[in-house]
Amino acid sequence: MPSENQGFSVWGFIKGFGKLLIGFLLLLQGIIGLVVMLLIVGVIVSVSDNLAGGKAARVDVPKGAALLLNPQGVLVEQAEEVDPFEKALEEAYGVDEPDQVEARDIIRAIRKAKTDERVAGLVLDLGGLYAPASSASKLHDIAAAIEDFKTSEKPVIAVGDYYSQEQYLIASRADEILMHGFGNVVLYGYGSYEAYIKSLLEKLKVTSHIFRVGTFKSAVEPFMRDDMSPEAKEANLAYLSVLWREYAASVEKARALPQGSVQRYADEMPPLLEQANGDFAKLAQRYGLVDDLKSRPQQLAYLKEKFGADKDGKSFKHVALSRYLKAVGEAEPDGEAPNIALVTAAGVIVDGEAPAGVAAGGDTIAKLLKKAHDDENVKAVVFRVDSPGGSAFASEIIRERLLELKEAGKPVVVSMGSLAASGGYWISSPADEIWAAPTTITGSIGIFGLLTTFENTAAEIGVYVDGVGTSRLSPLIATGVGPLPEVAAELIQQSVEEGYERFLRVVSEGRGLERDYIDSIGQGRVWIGETAQGLKLVDKLGDLDAAVAAAAERAGLEEYDVVEMVEKLTPFQRIFGGAAARAMKLAGLDFAEARAHQSALRKLFAQIKGEIELLDSFNDPSGLYARCLSCELR
């Protein structure tokens, strides 16, 4: 019997090993098959792209059609590269991630349509557009493009179920605004509100170590207070008031409303609504915010009457924004005229590499600036900055490249987007000239450091840290569960103070202003574009086109091409860039995550994800940040 048991065990081992080997071979075969499939798809996409000369397929624009301005997604300065394969997977799993829409694409389409004989008018359907409050200047730029479009005497009609405050700024430019009878226009102004967690951290016995310089540097206030400081309220209200004033004046002018109408509408909404018997839509119509109330079928019928029906008669004759952009393409440089390079730093400034549209990677932006530096045909650079700042180290890496450009005799003109604060101002300061919009949020010249430790929380559950080290700084090894050594805290505070002094020197040198003057308007205070001009932080007010013209003038150019410096991914790279992650998704390993997006807790998960991404962006090697968190209005 023993020998039989032993023989059975050996045989069982052999059979088990055989099954394991077969299983491994089948898995390997599946992986190889997947890779081959992706390779084939990549080659097909690459070949088709090459055959098309890298240009979009032909899209016909019907004669007499309306351009349907129906952007779907979040309004941004620079959109993330779209991966069609990953997009298809997201749709397959039901993951509803919002797209990104570049303001420049919308403006380009409007400008093309103005002189396009095929386009008979403009229809604004803005229900799918989301614009954060901090994107105010982008909204004003789009509104200005529509105003210019109207000089062609082509009609502009806005349609929608309702209009958010941001959507309405654009819609107000329409000749006619139609809204559903159950819709509303709610204007509530601008605000800056934070969740303050000092007491919560105390209850959890979490220790926050805060290091900052600047009376108005409020980024870390939520960790050290239970309310907003008077200094932060003063600074925030100052720039928010200008944002609101510009918004109100813009809408009142577009709709021919008496001065103060928008403020009254926001302040006196309850009694005004009572007069309209609680009907938001009728209130908006009576107040002059919309022209007519129509159901969806009625709106469609009206557009058919205005522009004619399409081929199948189901809709009005139109071409949607995305298709029109493909139809008109992008202007290609002729290769003969000198170039003005356009380099964009959009998003939080982080150390290292980062894809466009995700963050402004210090090394990534520096590489693009180096490319402009080395290109002999580039005679000037327009540096578009739309960033709340971030890593002080990454900001300095970018600034060094800008100084190299100037040393090479190539003018550098900064064009500020909606937000160019803190580190965003750091990288703007060395420019020969700085342009901003009246509603650009800028300044916030200050530095902070933040570190949380959990020694008291750990002690509550009976966890303690002890040990020995060879220097006074050795306890840093245990910091986190252990306390922050006092000597380390002294070092960090000194580093923050030196970082602030360096920030002052950077701005002083770049702007040719005294250090003490910069300190007086610094201290972490946020300024709005028009105020910043008076303070000499900004030279002129104007859009990106004005900055390009200024760069051309400085370079002595009359004829030139604007060439955008970006890291373009090939179709092959787009597909294989995240092959491992996509393979995991195909295997169903991310299915739970996909389902989470569809659950009732979707918003909560999104908030948690946002907080994780926020923490992940704090990657400065020295732990020093020139970032304006209060500027990033939602």
Side-chain angles (χ1 to χ4, degrees), residues 258-281:
Q259 186 177 356
S261 296
V262 171
Q263 185 70 51
R264 177 171 176 260
Y265 186 81
D267 286 340
E268 301 179 20
M269 177 68 74
L272 289 173
L273 187 60
E274 185 178 359
Q275 293 172 18
N277 298 317
D279 190 325
F280 276 103

Side-chain angles (χ1 to χ4, degrees), residues 320-397:
L321 173 64
S322 59
R323 289 183 60 79
Y324 187 69
L325 286 170
K326 291 178 182 177
V328 298
E330 293 193 41
E332 295 288 340
D334 59 19
E336 297 179 1
N339 294 335
I340 293 178
L342 174 61
V343 179
T344 300
V348 177
I349 300 172
V350 297
D351 187 37
E353 301 276 351
V358 176
D363 291 344
T364 302
I365 304 301
K367 192 183 300 180
L368 296 176
L369 293 171
K370 180 68 163 57
K371 183 179 178 181
H373 174 276
D374 295 343
D375 190 335
E376 293 183 358
N377 202 33
V378 170
K379 306 304 181 184
V381 174
V382 172
F383 190 32
R384 179 73 169 178
V385 179
D386 193 74
S387 171
S391 165
F393 177 75
S395 298
E396 180 60 15
I397 294 298

